[in-house]
């Protein structure tokens, strides 16, 4: 969290919690602290800050903030990229849906598991001490308890999206109870345990907080809307959606209406430093620079993903837009997406003699493509650098391995090298730009989805049109290049059938959140992952041969395997997901 306090995280490792026997001398070894030492208002506030840091203690090899690996590359939005399939080959295995043996060779998801449970441990440790402190001593007690339960629920929620069956660990459990906690509970039981924490936060937190980055009532309401939406799509033991619960859908609408926010007037504001914690940012990981730490409190989770050959960044050309996703931004004469046949023709021609990728004749585009994808010949991050008028034009040479992964890049997660948020540590790039977990556009589209599923189609379509109108207004920055670039985006009629409206809703989510790491989880929620992704592979492998042997297996690949080391440590207590 951005504030002026610097909390000594080593404190957690030094705390002395065991009681002394009666015959011991009244001596306190140096470096050891008792509960009473720690439970001062200042130290308790520090523990809360440490818990906030826990949900953003990210790394390139065990990501917990930006889900580019698990939610984007794993879907039809993007390729792994990098220097061929052997470069960080575990992500290639994810992309091929080749995880049938949860062995120790899969080092990324086990680190993500551990990183989330480290964050949960921080929240629980702070709760344990704050629970024992009176409000007279610590006037912020109730609010901080609510924030910590919100943080704990966030980590459990993300674990559930990734692994489905996870143990729910709370501060009131003894060490023995934690060791014996199973992951073998029903979907509804686990959803409701997570919801209980969010409900406590919703009922306790103020509408707004004075310090940016703290969870508030609106963030809790948004997360409850998200949780109830996922819970509404009821799955059986092999992950098949067998029912859509209307009561849960109504809760989505109820909680979405409790969220205060608005869309940024320009779509691009969401992806530029300087607009952090704006009206569209409902819940975000906070980062900082020049804060007294060694390399600053910046995010390196996308540190592999900058353009490789630009000379402006360094390394390593990962997370590259798929041809399928690029084609999805094509629009028809009415400015609407081609829902059923968008992928029949590639919208950009091959690289021409000048190193550009010209737009195919007669094609019109949703402008969000140039906020999302790096395309040769088009400006990168909206502008050229001062005194260097050409060096921010995305160039074919920036593609590290075009023979394998093509020449499209990623845009949203990048910042210009002369941004005050930019940090280069060796070849890797970090920035102090926040990472949004929930944007207000998300909340609107969750509500639209619930409305359409409840047969209130025109109300849902009106919300989708609100998102599309904002996209149409997001053409003022220099995001295109050349007279042949044509933007054409329109709104839908409100009189669509339910089937047509759901198709429009799902496509809109893809366009709005392309490459932000949500796509795979959407497909699993809808019960469409196998159909959509195998259809994607069937066509995409004709253009990208590295996908030739990829295949999504329904009933297995919707979730990752429970890390084998966790099963081993618990003596087989944790139950493995089916198919592994």
């Amino acid at each position: 969290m951005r504030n002026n306090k610097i909390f000594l995280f080593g404190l957690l490792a030094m705390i002395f919690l065991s009681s002394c026997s009666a015959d011991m001398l009244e001596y306190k070894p140096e470096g050891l602290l008792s509960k009473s030492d720690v439970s001062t208002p200042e130290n308790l506030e520090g523990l809360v800050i440490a818990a906030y840091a826990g949900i953003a203690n990210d790394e390139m090899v065990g990501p917990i903030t930006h889900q580019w690996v698990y939610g984007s590359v794993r879907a039809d939005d993007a390729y792994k990229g990098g220097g061929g399939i052997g470069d960080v080959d575990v992500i290639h295995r994810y992309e091929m849906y080749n995880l049938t043996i949860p062995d120790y060779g899969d080092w990324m998801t086990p680190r993500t598991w551990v990183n989330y449970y480290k964050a949960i441990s921080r929240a629980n440790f702070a709760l344990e001490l704050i629970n024992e402190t009176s409000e007279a001593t610590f006037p912020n007690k109730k609010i901080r308890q609510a924030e910590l339960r919100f943080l704990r629920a966030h980590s459990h929620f993300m674990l559930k999206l990734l692994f489905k069956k996870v143990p729910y660990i709370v501060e009131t459990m003894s060490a023995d109870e934690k060791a014996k906690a199973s992951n073998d509970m029903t979907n509804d039981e686990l959803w409701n345990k997570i919801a209980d924490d969010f409900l406590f936060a919703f009922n306790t937190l103020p509408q707004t907080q004075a310090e940016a980055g703290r969870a508030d009532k609106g963030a809790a309401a948004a997360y409850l809307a998200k949780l109830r939406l996922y819970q509404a799509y009821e799955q059986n033991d092999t992950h098949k959606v067998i029912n859509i619960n209307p009561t849960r859908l109504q809760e989505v609408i109820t909680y979405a209406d409790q969220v205060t926010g608005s869309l940024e007037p320009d779509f691009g504001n969401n992806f530029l430093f300087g607009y952090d914690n704006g009206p569209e940012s409902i819940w975000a990981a906070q980062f900082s620079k020049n804060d007294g730490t060694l390399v600053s409190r910046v995010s390196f989770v996308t540190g592999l993903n900058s353009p490789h050959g630009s000379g402006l960044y360094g390394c390593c050309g990962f997370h590259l837009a798929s041809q399928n996703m690029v084609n999805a931004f094509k629009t028809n004469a009415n400015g609407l997406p081609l829902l059923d046949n968008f992928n029949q023709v590639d919208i950009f021609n091959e690289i021409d003699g000048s190193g550009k990728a010209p737009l195919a004749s007669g094609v019109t585009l949703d402008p969000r493509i140039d906020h999302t994808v790096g395309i040769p010949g088009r400006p990168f991050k909206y502008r050229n650098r001062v005194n260097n008028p050409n060096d921010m034009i995305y160039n074919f040479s920036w593609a590290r391995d075009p023979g394998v992964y093509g020449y499209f890049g990623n845009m949203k997660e990048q910042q210009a090298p002369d941004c005050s948020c930019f940090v280069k540590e060796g070849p890797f790039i970090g920035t102090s730009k926040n990472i949004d977990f929930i944007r207000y556009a998300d909340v609107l589209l969750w509500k639209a989805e619930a409305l359409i599923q409840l047969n209130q189609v025109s109300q849902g379509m009106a919300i989708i049109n609100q998102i599309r109108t904002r996209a149409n207004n997001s053409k003022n920055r220099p995001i295109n290049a050349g007279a042949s670039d044509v933007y054409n985006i329109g709104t839908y009629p409100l009189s669509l059938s339910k089937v047509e409206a759901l198709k429009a809703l799902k496509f809109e989510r893809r366009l709005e959140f392309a490459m932000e790491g949500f796509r795979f989880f959407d497909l699993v929620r809808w019960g469409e992952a196998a159909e959509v992704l195998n259809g994607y592979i069937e066509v995409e492998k004709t253009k990208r041969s590295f996908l030739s042997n990829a295949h999504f297996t329904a009933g297995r690949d919707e979730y990752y395997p429970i890390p084998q080391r966790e099963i081993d440590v618990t003596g087989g207590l944790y139950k493995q997901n089916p198919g592994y």
Side-chain angles (χ1 to χ4, degrees), residues 22-242:
D23 59 346
M24 285 185 66
L25 296 175
E26 293 185 0
Y27 168 74
K28 184 167 63 179
E30 291 186 49
L32 297 182
L33 302 175
S34 67
K35 280 188 177 182
S36 60
D37 290 326
V38 178
S39 298
T40 65
E42 182 178 5
N43 286 340
L44 292 175
E45 290 287 3
L47 289 173
V48 176
I49 293 170
Y52 273 100
I55 58 96
N57 272 351
D58 228 333
E59 52 182 335
M60 290 174 276
V61 296
I64 60 173
T65 52
H66 198 297
Q67 298 294 316
W68 70 271
V69 173
Y70 304 137
S72 186
V73 171
R74 184 84 158 151
D76 48 0
D77 270 11
Y79 315 132
K80 172 183 75 71
I85 63 175
D87 192 2
V88 193
D89 63 333
V90 68
I91 306 179
H92 175 67
R93 291 175 61 197
Y94 300 159
E95 190 170 19
M96 300 291 287
Y97 310 106
N98 181 18
L99 287 173
T100 53
I101 302 174
D103 57 18
Y104 290 94
D106 176 14
W107 44 262
M108 185 170 282
T109 54
R111 288 178 74 107
T112 293
W113 175 289
V114 169
N115 284 341
Y116 277 124
Y117 276 109
K118 284 180 179 178
I120 290 167
S121 179
R122 288 190 180 203
N124 282 337
F125 182 77
L127 276 166
E128 184 179 347
L129 294 180
I130 290 173
N131 291 349
E132 297 177 3
T133 305
S134 69
E135 286 191 70
T137 301
F138 190 48
N140 287 331
K141 176 177 180 175
K142 287 283 180 65
I143 291 176
R144 300 299 182 247
Q145 285 173 320
E147 291 177 51
L148 290 164
R149 291 185 65 173
F150 176 96
L151 295 172
R152 179 172 71 189
H154 162 79
S155 292
H156 279 114
F157 183 95
M158 293 306 302
L159 283 162
K160 187 168 188 350
L161 288 192
L162 292 167
F163 301 101
K164 189 174 184 177
K165 300 172 74 67
V166 299
Y168 202 78
I169 307 298
V170 298
E171 86 283 5
T172 55
M173 298 166 68
S174 67
D176 186 57
E177 287 172 327
K178 291 174 184 176
K180 293 179 179 178
S182 171
N183 72 332
D184 193 21
M185 65 181 77
T186 68
N187 243 0
D188 256 10
E189 286 175 329
L190 184 50
W191 281 131
N192 287 333
K193 282 184 177 292
I194 301 171
D196 285 344
D197 274 346
F198 283 134
L199 282 166
F200 182 84
F202 175 74
N203 291 323
T204 307
L205 290 172
Q207 195 67 45
T208 60
Q209 296 254 37
E211 293 178 298
R214 291 193 185 272
D216 57 22
K217 190 180 189 73
Y223 236 132
L224 281 165
K226 184 175 185 177
L227 185 149
R228 295 309 190 198
L229 183 61
Y230 274 85
Q231 189 176 14
Y233 291 83
E234 297 173 353
Q235 297 180 355
N236 64 12
D237 290 341
T238 56
H239 322 318
K240 183 178 181 180
V241 175
I242 55 175

Side-chain angles (χ1 to χ4, degrees), residues 6 25 151 227 251 314 359 366 386 422 426 437 455 476 489 559:
I6 298 176
L25 296 175
L151 295 172
L227 185 149
E251 288 184 87
L359 190 64
D366 183 318
V386 176
F422 190 88
F437 294 124
N455 299 306
N476 295 323
I489 182 168
Y559 297 94

Side-chain angles (χ1 to χ4, degrees), residues 399-429:
R400 184 176 179 186
D401 199 342
V404 177
Y405 297 113
Y407 50 79
F408 298 119
N410 66 72
M411 181 85 78
K412 288 179 176 177
E413 64 209 50
Q414 304 300 327
Q415 299 299 314
D418 53 4
C419 175
S420 62
C421 64
F422 190 88
V423 170
K424 190 172 182 179
E425 181 69 9
F428 306 118
I429 304 303

Side-chain angles (χ1 to χ4, degrees), residues 263-448:
L263 296 175
E264 287 280 3
D266 190 297
F267 182 66
N269 291 359
N270 292 297
F271 315 109
L272 285 173
F273 183 72
Y275 295 91
D276 287 345
N277 302 313
E280 192 165 342
S281 179
I282 304 302
W283 167 235
Q286 308 285 314
F287 297 98
S288 60
K289 187 181 172 185
N290 300 324
D291 52 11
T293 57
L294 184 61
V295 292
S296 299
R297 176 70 180 174
V298 297
S299 169
F300 283 102
V301 67
T302 59
L304 294 171
N305 301 354
S306 57
H308 183 71
S310 64
L312 303 170
Y313 290 93
C315 186
C316 293
F318 283 72
H319 193 208
L320 305 179
S322 72
Q323 183 67 62
N324 178 287
M325 195 207 70
V326 169
N327 290 343
F329 287 94
K330 182 179 180 180
T331 58
N332 64 19
N334 296 319
L336 296 176
L338 284 67
L339 302 180
D340 296 311
N341 58 359
F342 72 92
N343 202 36
Q344 290 184 350
V345 178
D346 293 345
I347 65 174
F348 284 97
N349 294 323
E350 292 298 318
I351 301 298
D352 65 15
S354 64
K356 298 179 180 180
L359 190 64
S361 177
V363 172
T364 58
L365 299 174
D366 183 318
R368 284 173 291 189
I369 189 172
D370 282 316
H371 294 276
T372 305
V373 184
I375 301 169
R378 303 165 84 86
F380 193 62
K381 288 315 286 188
Y382 312 119
R383 58 178 175 78
N384 302 328
R385 292 182 71 192
V386 176
N387 300 322
N388 292 279
N390 296 313
D391 67 1
M392 283 297 281
I393 298 296
Y394 195 87
N395 193 286
F396 174 75
S397 66
W398 293 14
R400 184 176 179 186
D401 199 342
V404 177
Y405 297 113
Y407 50 79
F408 298 119
N410 66 72
M411 181 85 78
K412 288 179 176 177
E413 64 209 50
Q414 304 300 327
Q415 299 299 314
D418 53 4
C419 175
S420 62
C421 64
F422 190 88
V423 170
K424 190 172 182 179
E425 181 69 9
F428 306 118
I429 304 303
T431 80
S432 56
K433 171 78 177 73
N434 285 359
I435 294 176
D436 284 309
F437 294 124
I438 298 176
R439 292 199 274 120
Y440 190 63
D442 236 341
V443 179
L444 290 176
L445 289 178
W446 296 331
K447 181 179 177 180

